[in-house]
PDB file of all heavy atoms in Angstrom:
ATOM      1  N   GLN A   2     -20.727 -13.586 -22.752  1.00 82.00           N
ATOM      2  CA  GLN A   2     -19.999 -12.370 -22.449  1.00 82.00           C
ATOM      3  C   GLN A   2     -19.387 -11.841 -23.738  1.00 82.00           C
ATOM      4  O   GLN A   2     -18.500 -12.481 -24.314  1.00 82.00           O
ATOM      5  CB  GLN A   2     -18.923 -12.685 -21.406  1.00 82.00           C
ATOM      6  CG  GLN A   2     -18.553 -11.521 -20.537  1.00 82.00           C
ATOM      7  CD  GLN A   2     -17.677 -11.953 -19.377  1.00 82.00           C
ATOM      8  OE1 GLN A   2     -17.788 -13.060 -18.871  1.00 82.00           O
ATOM      9  NE2 GLN A   2     -16.786 -11.088 -18.974  1.00 82.00           N
ATOM     10  N   TYR A  32     -16.842   1.329 -30.989  1.00 93.00           N
ATOM     11  CA  TYR A  32     -16.230   2.316 -30.088  1.00 93.00           C
ATOM     12  C   TYR A  32     -15.840   1.589 -28.821  1.00 93.00           C
ATOM     13  O   TYR A  32     -16.632   0.814 -28.269  1.00 93.00           O
ATOM     14  CB  TYR A  32     -17.227   3.443 -29.786  1.00 93.00           C
ATOM     15  CG  TYR A  32     -16.615   4.657 -29.133  1.00 93.00           C
ATOM     16  CD1 TYR A  32     -15.849   5.547 -29.877  1.00 93.00           C
ATOM     17  CD2 TYR A  32     -16.804   4.917 -27.785  1.00 93.00           C
ATOM     18  CE1 TYR A  32     -15.285   6.659 -29.297  1.00 93.00           C
ATOM     19  CE2 TYR A  32     -16.244   6.036 -27.197  1.00 93.00           C
ATOM     20  CZ  TYR A  32     -15.489   6.904 -27.954  1.00 93.00           C
ATOM     21  OH  TYR A  32     -14.938   8.010 -27.386  1.00 93.00           O
ATOM     22  N   LEU A  34     -13.603   1.699 -24.977  1.00 95.00           N
ATOM     23  CA  LEU A  34     -13.153   2.572 -23.896  1.00 95.00           C
ATOM     24  C   LEU A  34     -12.442   1.753 -22.837  1.00 95.00           C
ATOM     25  O   LEU A  34     -12.702   0.561 -22.662  1.00 95.00           O
ATOM     26  CB  LEU A  34     -14.349   3.280 -23.239  1.00 95.00           C
ATOM     27  CG  LEU A  34     -15.347   3.996 -24.137  1.00 95.00           C
ATOM     28  CD1 LEU A  34     -16.481   3.048 -24.552  1.00 95.00           C
ATOM     29  CD2 LEU A  34     -15.943   5.193 -23.424  1.00 95.00           C
ATOM     30  N   TYR A  36     -11.674   2.077 -18.637  1.00 96.00           N
ATOM     31  CA  TYR A  36     -11.965   2.752 -17.393  1.00 96.00           C
ATOM     32  C   TYR A  36     -11.055   2.206 -16.313  1.00 96.00           C
ATOM     33  O   TYR A  36     -10.673   1.030 -16.335  1.00 96.00           O
ATOM     34  CB  TYR A  36     -13.419   2.508 -16.964  1.00 96.00           C
ATOM     35  CG  TYR A  36     -14.445   3.347 -17.692  1.00 96.00           C
ATOM     36  CD1 TYR A  36     -14.902   2.975 -18.955  1.00 96.00           C
ATOM     37  CD2 TYR A  36     -14.956   4.503 -17.121  1.00 96.00           C
ATOM     38  CE1 TYR A  36     -15.848   3.736 -19.617  1.00 96.00           C
ATOM     39  CE2 TYR A  36     -15.904   5.273 -17.785  1.00 96.00           C
ATOM     40  CZ  TYR A  36     -16.343   4.881 -19.033  1.00 96.00           C
ATOM     41  OH  TYR A  36     -17.278   5.650 -19.687  1.00 96.00           O
ATOM     42  N   LYS A  38     -10.727   1.869 -12.036  1.00 93.00           N
ATOM     43  CA  LYS A  38     -11.552   1.921 -10.824  1.00 93.00           C
ATOM     44  C   LYS A  38     -10.711   1.652  -9.589  1.00 93.00           C
ATOM     45  O   LYS A  38     -10.064   0.608  -9.480  1.00 93.00           O
ATOM     46  CB  LYS A  38     -12.700   0.901 -10.911  1.00 93.00           C
ATOM     47  CG  LYS A  38     -13.672   1.005  -9.744  1.00 93.00           C
ATOM     48  CD  LYS A  38     -14.783  -0.011  -9.873  1.00 93.00           C
ATOM     49  CE  LYS A  38     -15.822   0.162  -8.764  1.00 93.00           C
ATOM     50  NZ  LYS A  38     -15.255   0.015  -7.422  1.00 93.00           N
ATOM     51  N   ALA A  41     -13.943   1.556  -3.626  1.00 77.00           N
ATOM     52  CA  ALA A  41     -14.922   2.497  -3.049  1.00 77.00           C
ATOM     53  C   ALA A  41     -15.152   3.730  -3.924  1.00 77.00           C
ATOM     54  O   ALA A  41     -15.672   4.745  -3.440  1.00 77.00           O
ATOM     55  CB  ALA A  41     -14.515   2.921  -1.635  1.00 77.00           C
ATOM     56  N   GLU A  42     -14.754   3.665  -5.189  1.00 84.00           N
ATOM     57  CA  GLU A  42     -15.039   4.761  -6.115  1.00 84.00           C
ATOM     58  C   GLU A  42     -15.683   4.204  -7.374  1.00 84.00           C
ATOM     59  O   GLU A  42     -15.528   3.018  -7.687  1.00 84.00           O
ATOM     60  CB  GLU A  42     -13.756   5.503  -6.496  1.00 84.00           C
ATOM     61  CG  GLU A  42     -13.086   6.231  -5.354  1.00 84.00           C
ATOM     62  CD  GLU A  42     -11.852   6.991  -5.830  1.00 84.00           C
ATOM     63  OE1 GLU A  42     -11.694   7.179  -7.050  1.00 84.00           O
ATOM     64  OE2 GLU A  42     -11.056   7.387  -4.962  1.00 84.00           O
ATOM     65  N   GLY A  43     -16.384   5.077  -8.115  1.00 90.00           N
ATOM     66  CA  GLY A  43     -16.905   4.655  -9.401  1.00 90.00           C
ATOM     67  C   GLY A  43     -15.797   4.618 -10.437  1.00 90.00           C
ATOM     68  O   GLY A  43     -14.744   5.238 -10.266  1.00 90.00           O
ATOM     69  N   PRO A  44     -16.013   3.897 -11.541  1.00 93.00           N
ATOM     70  CA  PRO A  44     -15.005   3.884 -12.616  1.00 93.00           C
ATOM     71  C   PRO A  44     -14.797   5.272 -13.196  1.00 93.00           C
ATOM     72  O   PRO A  44     -15.741   6.065 -13.294  1.00 93.00           O
ATOM     73  CB  PRO A  44     -15.635   2.950 -13.661  1.00 93.00           C
ATOM     74  CG  PRO A  44     -16.649   2.139 -12.926  1.00 93.00           C
ATOM     75  CD  PRO A  44     -17.164   3.044 -11.846  1.00 93.00           C
ATOM     76  N   PHE A  46     -13.156   7.358 -16.560  1.00 93.00           N
ATOM     77  CA  PHE A  46     -12.760   7.197 -17.948  1.00 93.00           C
ATOM     78  C   PHE A  46     -11.266   7.445 -18.114  1.00 93.00           C
ATOM     79  O   PHE A  46     -10.700   8.375 -17.535  1.00 93.00           O
ATOM     80  CB  PHE A  46     -13.551   8.165 -18.824  1.00 93.00           C
ATOM     81  CG  PHE A  46     -13.065   8.239 -20.243  1.00 93.00           C
ATOM     82  CD1 PHE A  46     -13.355   7.226 -21.124  1.00 93.00           C
ATOM     83  CD2 PHE A  46     -12.317   9.321 -20.663  1.00 93.00           C
ATOM     84  CE1 PHE A  46     -12.911   7.290 -22.433  1.00 93.00           C
ATOM     85  CE2 PHE A  46     -11.862   9.396 -21.969  1.00 93.00           C
ATOM     86  CZ  PHE A  46     -12.162   8.382 -22.850  1.00 93.00           C
ATOM     87  N   PHE A  89     -11.216  -1.683 -16.541  1.00 96.00           N
ATOM     88  CA  PHE A  89     -12.322  -2.274 -17.281  1.00 96.00           C
ATOM     89  C   PHE A  89     -12.260  -1.837 -18.736  1.00 96.00           C
ATOM     90  O   PHE A  89     -12.086  -0.659 -19.043  1.00 96.00           O
ATOM     91  CB  PHE A  89     -13.672  -1.825 -16.703  1.00 96.00           C
ATOM     92  CG  PHE A  89     -13.971  -2.374 -15.342  1.00 96.00           C
ATOM     93  CD1 PHE A  89     -13.683  -1.635 -14.202  1.00 96.00           C
ATOM     94  CD2 PHE A  89     -14.544  -3.630 -15.198  1.00 96.00           C
ATOM     95  CE1 PHE A  89     -13.965  -2.136 -12.936  1.00 96.00           C
ATOM     96  CE2 PHE A  89     -14.826  -4.137 -13.937  1.00 96.00           C
ATOM     97  CZ  PHE A  89     -14.527  -3.389 -12.808  1.00 96.00           C
ATOM     98  N   SER A  93     -19.091  -0.341 -27.396  1.00 90.00           N
ATOM     99  CA  SER A  93     -20.458   0.048 -27.763  1.00 90.00           C
ATOM    100  C   SER A  93     -20.626   0.014 -29.273  1.00 90.00           C
ATOM    101  O   SER A  93     -19.656   0.057 -30.030  1.00 90.00           O
ATOM    102  CB  SER A  93     -20.804   1.440 -27.228  1.00 90.00           C
ATOM    103  OG  SER A  93     -20.148   2.443 -27.975  1.00 90.00           O
ATOM    104  N   THR A  95     -22.277   2.354 -31.700  1.00 78.00           N
ATOM    105  CA  THR A  95     -22.759   3.726 -31.577  1.00 78.00           C
ATOM    106  C   THR A  95     -23.975   4.045 -32.438  1.00 78.00           C
ATOM    107  O   THR A  95     -24.622   5.063 -32.231  1.00 78.00           O
ATOM    108  CB  THR A  95     -21.640   4.727 -31.913  1.00 78.00           C
ATOM    109  OG1 THR A  95     -21.144   4.441 -33.221  1.00 78.00           O
ATOM    110  CG2 THR A  95     -20.510   4.641 -30.899  1.00 78.00           C
ATOM    111  N   ARG A  98     -27.485  -0.544 -30.548  1.00 65.00           N
ATOM    112  CA  ARG A  98     -27.666  -0.564 -29.094  1.00 65.00           C
ATOM    113  C   ARG A  98     -26.467   0.150 -28.499  1.00 65.00           C
ATOM    114  O   ARG A  98     -25.389  -0.390 -28.426  1.00 65.00           O
ATOM    115  CB  ARG A  98     -27.741  -1.992 -28.562  1.00 65.00           C
ATOM    116  CG  ARG A  98     -27.896  -2.049 -27.037  1.00 65.00           C
ATOM    117  CD  ARG A  98     -27.875  -3.477 -26.547  1.00 65.00           C
ATOM    118  NE  ARG A  98     -28.051  -3.553 -25.110  1.00 65.00           N
ATOM    119  CZ  ARG A  98     -27.053  -3.562 -24.223  1.00 65.00           C
ATOM    120  NH1 ARG A  98     -25.816  -3.522 -24.631  1.00 65.00           N
ATOM    121  NH2 ARG A  98     -27.297  -3.615 -22.927  1.00 65.00           N
ATOM    122  N   ARG A  99     -26.669   1.374 -28.085  1.00 71.00           N
ATOM    123  CA  ARG A  99     -25.520   2.211 -27.782  1.00 71.00           C
ATOM    124  C   ARG A  99     -25.024   2.112 -26.355  1.00 71.00           C
ATOM    125  O   ARG A  99     -24.048   2.741 -26.006  1.00 71.00           O
ATOM    126  CB  ARG A  99     -25.854   3.661 -28.139  1.00 71.00           C
ATOM    127  CG  ARG A  99     -26.054   3.861 -29.639  1.00 71.00           C
ATOM    128  CD  ARG A  99     -26.534   5.251 -29.946  1.00 71.00           C
ATOM    129  NE  ARG A  99     -27.919   5.423 -29.566  1.00 71.00           N
ATOM    130  CZ  ARG A  99     -28.526   6.596 -29.525  1.00 71.00           C
ATOM    131  NH1 ARG A  99     -27.864   7.689 -29.819  1.00 71.00           N
ATOM    132  NH2 ARG A  99     -29.786   6.682 -29.180  1.00 71.00           N
ATOM    133  N   ALA A 100     -25.681   1.349 -25.517  1.00 80.00           N
ATOM    134  CA  ALA A 100     -25.203   1.196 -24.143  1.00 80.00           C
ATOM    135  C   ALA A 100     -23.865   0.468 -24.140  1.00 80.00           C
ATOM    136  O   ALA A 100     -23.583  -0.358 -25.002  1.00 80.00           O
ATOM    137  CB  ALA A 100     -26.229   0.423 -23.321  1.00 80.00           C
ATOM    138  N   LEU A 101     -23.032   0.814 -23.168  1.00 87.00           N
ATOM    139  CA  LEU A 101     -21.722   0.185 -23.062  1.00 87.00           C
ATOM    140  C   LEU A 101     -21.848  -1.231 -22.528  1.00 87.00           C
ATOM    141  O   LEU A 101     -22.646  -1.505 -21.641  1.00 87.00           O
ATOM    142  CB  LEU A 101     -20.828   0.999 -22.127  1.00 87.00           C
ATOM    143  CG  LEU A 101     -20.506   2.440 -22.532  1.00 87.00           C
ATOM    144  CD1 LEU A 101     -19.545   3.055 -21.523  1.00 87.00           C
ATOM    145  CD2 LEU A 101     -19.929   2.494 -23.921  1.00 87.00           C
ATOM    146  N   PHE A 103     -19.412  -3.989 -20.676  1.00 92.00           N
ATOM    147  CA  PHE A 103     -18.150  -4.005 -19.953  1.00 92.00           C
ATOM    148  C   PHE A 103     -17.578  -5.404 -19.839  1.00 92.00           C
ATOM    149  O   PHE A 103     -18.308  -6.394 -19.766  1.00 92.00           O
ATOM    150  CB  PHE A 103     -18.343  -3.452 -18.536  1.00 92.00           C
ATOM    151  CG  PHE A 103     -18.458  -1.963 -18.475  1.00 92.00           C
ATOM    152  CD1 PHE A 103     -19.667  -1.334 -18.707  1.00 92.00           C
ATOM    153  CD2 PHE A 103     -17.355  -1.170 -18.177  1.00 92.00           C
ATOM    154  CE1 PHE A 103     -19.785   0.045 -18.656  1.00 92.00           C
ATOM    155  CE2 PHE A 103     -17.455   0.206 -18.125  1.00 92.00           C
ATOM    156  CZ  PHE A 103     -18.674   0.816 -18.365  1.00 92.00           C
ATOM    157  N   GLY A 104     -16.248  -5.477 -19.766  1.00 93.00           N
ATOM    158  CA  GLY A 104     -15.572  -6.703 -19.386  1.00 93.00           C
ATOM    159  C   GLY A 104     -15.558  -6.833 -17.872  1.00 93.00           C
ATOM    160  O   GLY A 104     -16.031  -5.942 -17.150  1.00 93.00           O
ATOM    161  N   SER A 105     -15.002  -7.931 -17.391  1.00 91.00           N
ATOM    162  CA  SER A 105     -15.027  -8.214 -15.951  1.00 91.00           C
ATOM    163  C   SER A 105     -13.888  -7.554 -15.190  1.00 91.00           C
ATOM    164  O   SER A 105     -13.855  -7.598 -13.972  1.00 91.00           O
ATOM    165  CB  SER A 105     -14.997  -9.729 -15.710  1.00 91.00           C
ATOM    166  OG  SER A 105     -13.904 -10.297 -16.385  1.00 91.00           O
TER     167      SER A 105
ATOM    168  N   ARG B   9     -24.202   6.312   0.337  1.00 96.00           N
ATOM    169  CA  ARG B   9     -23.023   5.573  -0.094  1.00 96.00           C
ATOM    170  C   ARG B   9     -23.069   4.123   0.392  1.00 96.00           C
ATOM    171  O   ARG B   9     -22.537   3.236  -0.269  1.00 96.00           O
ATOM    172  CB  ARG B   9     -21.754   6.247   0.423  1.00 96.00           C
ATOM    173  CG  ARG B   9     -21.504   7.633  -0.158  1.00 96.00           C
ATOM    174  CD  ARG B   9     -21.183   7.564  -1.665  1.00 96.00           C
ATOM    175  NE  ARG B   9     -20.125   6.618  -1.959  1.00 96.00           N
ATOM    176  CZ  ARG B   9     -18.834   6.898  -1.896  1.00 96.00           C
ATOM    177  NH1 ARG B   9     -18.437   8.113  -1.564  1.00 96.00           N
ATOM    178  NH2 ARG B   9     -17.931   5.970  -2.188  1.00 96.00           N
ATOM    179  N   TYR B  35     -26.182   0.643 -13.094  1.00 94.00           N
ATOM    180  CA  TYR B  35     -25.417  -0.577 -13.229  1.00 94.00           C
ATOM    181  C   TYR B  35     -25.378  -1.279 -11.883  1.00 94.00           C
ATOM    182  O   TYR B  35     -25.402  -0.649 -10.833  1.00 94.00           O
ATOM    183  CB  TYR B  35     -23.964  -0.287 -13.627  1.00 94.00           C
ATOM    184  CG  TYR B  35     -23.755   0.182 -15.038  1.00 94.00           C
ATOM    185  CD1 TYR B  35     -23.813   1.533 -15.352  1.00 94.00           C
ATOM    186  CD2 TYR B  35     -23.454  -0.721 -16.055  1.00 94.00           C
ATOM    187  CE1 TYR B  35     -23.593   1.978 -16.652  1.00 94.00           C
ATOM    188  CE2 TYR B  35     -23.228  -0.290 -17.357  1.00 94.00           C
ATOM    189  CZ  TYR B  35     -23.293   1.057 -17.645  1.00 94.00           C
ATOM    190  OH  TYR B  35     -23.071   1.495 -18.928  1.00 94.00           O
ATOM    191  N   GLN B  37     -22.792  -3.979  -9.853  1.00 91.00           N
ATOM    192  CA  GLN B  37     -21.519  -4.681  -9.878  1.00 91.00           C
ATOM    193  C   GLN B  37     -21.452  -5.644  -8.707  1.00 91.00           C
ATOM    194  O   GLN B  37     -21.357  -5.212  -7.552  1.00 91.00           O
ATOM    195  CB  GLN B  37     -20.331  -3.732  -9.835  1.00 91.00           C
ATOM    196  CG  GLN B  37     -19.026  -4.499 -10.033  1.00 91.00           C
ATOM    197  CD  GLN B  37     -17.794  -3.650  -9.960  1.00 91.00           C
ATOM    198  OE1 GLN B  37     -17.787  -2.579  -9.384  1.00 91.00           O
ATOM    199  NE2 GLN B  37     -16.730  -4.134 -10.565  1.00 91.00           N
ATOM    200  N   PRO B  42     -18.628  -8.710 -14.389  1.00 83.00           N
ATOM    201  CA  PRO B  42     -18.632  -7.437 -15.130  1.00 83.00           C
ATOM    202  C   PRO B  42     -19.727  -6.514 -14.620  1.00 83.00           C
ATOM    203  O   PRO B  42     -20.687  -6.986 -13.999  1.00 83.00           O
ATOM    204  CB  PRO B  42     -18.923  -7.866 -16.573  1.00 83.00           C
ATOM    205  CG  PRO B  42     -18.732  -9.322 -16.625  1.00 83.00           C
ATOM    206  CD  PRO B  42     -18.945  -9.853 -15.250  1.00 83.00           C
ATOM    207  N   LEU B  43     -19.581  -5.251 -14.912  1.00 88.00           N
ATOM    208  CA  LEU B  43     -20.669  -4.323 -14.621  1.00 88.00           C
ATOM    209  C   LEU B  43     -21.880  -4.740 -15.446  1.00 88.00           C
ATOM    210  O   LEU B  43     -21.787  -4.922 -16.655  1.00 88.00           O
ATOM    211  CB  LEU B  43     -20.284  -2.888 -15.007  1.00 88.00           C
ATOM    212  CG  LEU B  43     -19.550  -2.052 -13.966  1.00 88.00           C
ATOM    213  CD1 LEU B  43     -18.129  -2.522 -13.808  1.00 88.00           C
ATOM    214  CD2 LEU B  43     -19.573  -0.582 -14.361  1.00 88.00           C
ATOM    215  N   LEU B  45     -25.434  -3.757 -16.867  1.00 90.00           N
ATOM    216  CA  LEU B  45     -26.349  -2.657 -17.142  1.00 90.00           C
ATOM    217  C   LEU B  45     -27.760  -3.068 -16.720  1.00 90.00           C
ATOM    218  O   LEU B  45     -28.237  -4.149 -17.076  1.00 90.00           O
ATOM    219  CB  LEU B  45     -26.329  -2.322 -18.633  1.00 90.00           C
ATOM    220  CG  LEU B  45     -27.243  -1.202 -19.083  1.00 90.00           C
ATOM    221  CD1 LEU B  45     -26.806   0.124 -18.479  1.00 90.00           C
ATOM    222  CD2 LEU B  45     -27.251  -1.127 -20.609  1.00 90.00           C
ATOM    223  N   ASN B  50     -32.894   7.932 -21.619  1.00 85.00           N
ATOM    224  CA  ASN B  50     -32.432   8.919 -22.587  1.00 85.00           C
ATOM    225  C   ASN B  50     -33.493  10.014 -22.665  1.00 85.00           C
ATOM    226  O   ASN B  50     -34.643   9.734 -23.014  1.00 85.00           O
ATOM    227  CB  ASN B  50     -32.216   8.263 -23.948  1.00 85.00           C
ATOM    228  CG  ASN B  50     -31.449   9.152 -24.896  1.00 85.00           C
ATOM    229  OD1 ASN B  50     -30.651   9.979 -24.458  1.00 85.00           O
ATOM    230  ND2 ASN B  50     -31.665   8.988 -26.174  1.00 85.00           N
ATOM    231  N   GLU B  56     -34.041   1.202 -22.092  1.00 79.00           N
ATOM    232  CA  GLU B  56     -33.574  -0.170 -21.923  1.00 79.00           C
ATOM    233  C   GLU B  56     -33.833  -0.642 -20.507  1.00 79.00           C
ATOM    234  O   GLU B  56     -33.575   0.075 -19.541  1.00 79.00           O
ATOM    235  CB  GLU B  56     -32.079  -0.260 -22.233  1.00 79.00           C
ATOM    236  CG  GLU B  56     -31.551  -1.682 -22.245  1.00 79.00           C
ATOM    237  CD  GLU B  56     -30.269  -1.829 -23.039  1.00 79.00           C
ATOM    238  OE1 GLU B  56     -29.949  -0.956 -23.850  1.00 79.00           O
ATOM    239  OE2 GLU B  56     -29.600  -2.847 -22.850  1.00 79.00           O
ATOM    240  N   ASN B  58     -32.800  -4.140 -18.762  1.00 79.00           N
ATOM    241  CA  ASN B  58     -32.030  -5.326 -19.100  1.00 79.00           C
ATOM    242  C   ASN B  58     -32.491  -6.544 -18.308  1.00 79.00           C
ATOM    243  O   ASN B  58     -31.718  -7.146 -17.573  1.00 79.00           O
ATOM    244  CB  ASN B  58     -30.544  -5.036 -18.855  1.00 79.00           C
ATOM    245  CG  ASN B  58     -29.657  -5.772 -19.833  1.00 79.00           C
ATOM    246  OD1 ASN B  58     -30.101  -6.270 -20.847  1.00 79.00           O
ATOM    247  ND2 ASN B  58     -28.380  -5.822 -19.529  1.00 79.00           N
ATOM    248  N   LEU B  88     -22.653  -3.498  -5.416  1.00 94.00           N
ATOM    249  CA  LEU B  88     -22.392  -2.071  -5.594  1.00 94.00           C
ATOM    250  C   LEU B  88     -23.272  -1.584  -6.755  1.00 94.00           C
ATOM    251  O   LEU B  88     -23.214  -2.147  -7.845  1.00 94.00           O
ATOM    252  CB  LEU B  88     -20.918  -1.828  -5.914  1.00 94.00           C
ATOM    253  CG  LEU B  88     -20.502  -0.367  -6.129  1.00 94.00           C
ATOM    254  CD1 LEU B  88     -20.581   0.410  -4.813  1.00 94.00           C
ATOM    255  CD2 LEU B  88     -19.083  -0.295  -6.698  1.00 94.00           C
ATOM    256  N   LEU B  90     -24.117   1.355  -9.268  1.00 96.00           N
ATOM    257  CA  LEU B  90     -23.472   2.525  -9.851  1.00 96.00           C
ATOM    258  C   LEU B  90     -24.420   3.249 -10.785  1.00 96.00           C
ATOM    259  O   LEU B  90     -25.138   2.627 -11.568  1.00 96.00           O
ATOM    260  CB  LEU B  90     -22.227   2.098 -10.634  1.00 96.00           C
ATOM    261  CG  LEU B  90     -21.054   1.597  -9.808  1.00 96.00           C
ATOM    262  CD1 LEU B  90     -20.132   0.743 -10.654  1.00 96.00           C
ATOM    263  CD2 LEU B  90     -20.292   2.763  -9.198  1.00 96.00           C
ATOM    264  N   MET B  97     -25.402   8.697 -26.016  1.00 73.00           N
ATOM    265  CA  MET B  97     -25.321   7.282 -25.685  1.00 73.00           C
ATOM    266  C   MET B  97     -24.271   6.596 -26.542  1.00 73.00           C
ATOM    267  O   MET B  97     -24.075   6.918 -27.701  1.00 73.00           O
ATOM    268  CB  MET B  97     -26.682   6.628 -25.885  1.00 73.00           C
ATOM    269  CG  MET B  97     -27.718   7.087 -24.874  1.00 73.00           C
ATOM    270  SD  MET B  97     -29.294   6.283 -25.120  1.00 73.00           S
ATOM    271  CE  MET B  97     -28.827   4.574 -24.947  1.00 73.00           C
ATOM    272  N   GLY B  98     -23.603   5.643 -25.925  1.00 68.00           N
ATOM    273  CA  GLY B  98     -22.606   4.859 -26.652  1.00 68.00           C
ATOM    274  C   GLY B  98     -21.206   5.381 -26.504  1.00 68.00           C
ATOM    275  O   GLY B  98     -20.259   4.734 -26.920  1.00 68.00           O
ATOM    276  N   TYR B  99     -21.069   6.536 -25.905  1.00 80.00           N
ATOM    277  CA  TYR B  99     -19.762   7.121 -25.725  1.00 80.00           C
ATOM    278  C   TYR B  99     -19.409   7.217 -24.242  1.00 80.00           C
ATOM    279  O   TYR B  99     -19.960   6.512 -23.426  1.00 80.00           O
ATOM    280  CB  TYR B  99     -19.706   8.486 -26.423  1.00 80.00           C
ATOM    281  CG  TYR B  99     -19.866   8.378 -27.924  1.00 80.00           C
ATOM    282  CD1 TYR B  99     -21.114   8.557 -28.520  1.00 80.00           C
ATOM    283  CD2 TYR B  99     -18.785   8.061 -28.738  1.00 80.00           C
ATOM    284  CE1 TYR B  99     -21.267   8.425 -29.888  1.00 80.00           C
ATOM    285  CE2 TYR B  99     -18.932   7.935 -30.105  1.00 80.00           C
ATOM    286  CZ  TYR B  99     -20.174   8.125 -30.677  1.00 80.00           C
ATOM    287  OH  TYR B  99     -20.333   7.992 -32.027  1.00 80.00           O
ATOM    288  N   GLN B 100     -18.494   8.086 -23.944  1.00 87.00           N
ATOM    289  CA  GLN B 100     -17.960   8.163 -22.588  1.00 87.00           C
ATOM    290  C   GLN B 100     -19.049   8.410 -21.561  1.00 87.00           C
ATOM    291  O   GLN B 100     -19.855   9.326 -21.700  1.00 87.00           O
ATOM    292  CB  GLN B 100     -16.940   9.287 -22.527  1.00 87.00           C
ATOM    293  CG  GLN B 100     -16.275   9.457 -21.182  1.00 87.00           C
ATOM    294  CD  GLN B 100     -15.313  10.617 -21.191  1.00 87.00           C
ATOM    295  OE1 GLN B 100     -14.886  11.051 -22.256  1.00 87.00           O
ATOM    296  NE2 GLN B 100     -14.988  11.127 -20.035  1.00 87.00           N
ATOM    297  N   GLN B 101     -19.062   7.580 -20.536  1.00 91.00           N
ATOM    298  CA  GLN B 101     -19.974   7.747 -19.420  1.00 91.00           C
ATOM    299  C   GLN B 101     -19.197   8.174 -18.182  1.00 91.00           C
ATOM    300  O   GLN B 101     -18.061   7.764 -17.978  1.00 91.00           O
ATOM    301  CB  GLN B 101     -20.702   6.433 -19.121  1.00 91.00           C
ATOM    302  CG  GLN B 101     -21.653   6.006 -20.232  1.00 91.00           C
ATOM    303  CD  GLN B 101     -22.338   4.697 -19.943  1.00 91.00           C
ATOM    304  OE1 GLN B 101     -22.295   4.177 -18.828  1.00 91.00           O
ATOM    305  NE2 GLN B 101     -22.998   4.144 -20.943  1.00 91.00           N
ATOM    306  N   PHE B 103     -19.251   8.144 -14.106  1.00 95.00           N
ATOM    307  CA  PHE B 103     -19.844   7.347 -13.043  1.00 95.00           C
ATOM    308  C   PHE B 103     -19.851   8.078 -11.708  1.00 95.00           C
ATOM    309  O   PHE B 103     -18.952   8.870 -11.406  1.00 95.00           O
ATOM    310  CB  PHE B 103     -19.073   6.039 -12.862  1.00 95.00           C
ATOM    311  CG  PHE B 103     -19.357   5.021 -13.928  1.00 95.00           C
ATOM    312  CD1 PHE B 103     -18.699   5.060 -15.146  1.00 95.00           C
ATOM    313  CD2 PHE B 103     -20.293   4.026 -13.711  1.00 95.00           C
ATOM    314  CE1 PHE B 103     -18.963   4.130 -16.128  1.00 95.00           C
ATOM    315  CE2 PHE B 103     -20.569   3.077 -14.701  1.00 95.00           C
ATOM    316  CZ  PHE B 103     -19.898   3.130 -15.909  1.00 95.00           C
ATOM    317  N   GLY B 104     -20.857   7.777 -10.908  1.00 95.00           N
ATOM    318  CA  GLY B 104     -20.867   8.186  -9.520  1.00 95.00           C
ATOM    319  C   GLY B 104     -20.044   7.217  -8.686  1.00 95.00           C
ATOM    320  O   GLY B 104     -19.542   6.216  -9.200  1.00 95.00           O
ATOM    321  N   PRO B 105     -19.917   7.490  -7.387  1.00 94.00           N
ATOM    322  CA  PRO B 105     -19.098   6.644  -6.516  1.00 94.00           C
ATOM    323  C   PRO B 105     -19.767   5.328  -6.147  1.00 94.00           C
ATOM    324  O   PRO B 105     -19.110   4.417  -5.655  1.00 94.00           O
ATOM    325  CB  PRO B 105     -18.885   7.507  -5.273  1.00 94.00           C
ATOM    326  CG  PRO B 105     -20.090   8.386  -5.252  1.00 94.00           C
ATOM    327  CD  PRO B 105     -20.438   8.655  -6.677  1.00 94.00           C
TER     328      PRO B 105
END
Side-chain angles (χ1 to χ4, degrees):
Chain A
Q2 208 170 328
Y32 193 75
L34 310 90
Y36 281 82
K38 186 180 185 301
E42 295 182 15
F46 171 76
F89 291 95
S93 74
T95 56
R98 179 184 181 268
R99 294 173 287 169
L101 298 183
F103 283 83
S105 54
Chain B
R9 295 293 308 275
Y35 288 89
Q37 187 182 22
L43 273 73
L45 179 65
N50 193 28
E56 187 158 342
N58 213 15
L88 180 69
L90 290 159
M97 291 181 59
Y99 296 96
Q100 182 182 341
Q101 293 179 12
F103 284 83

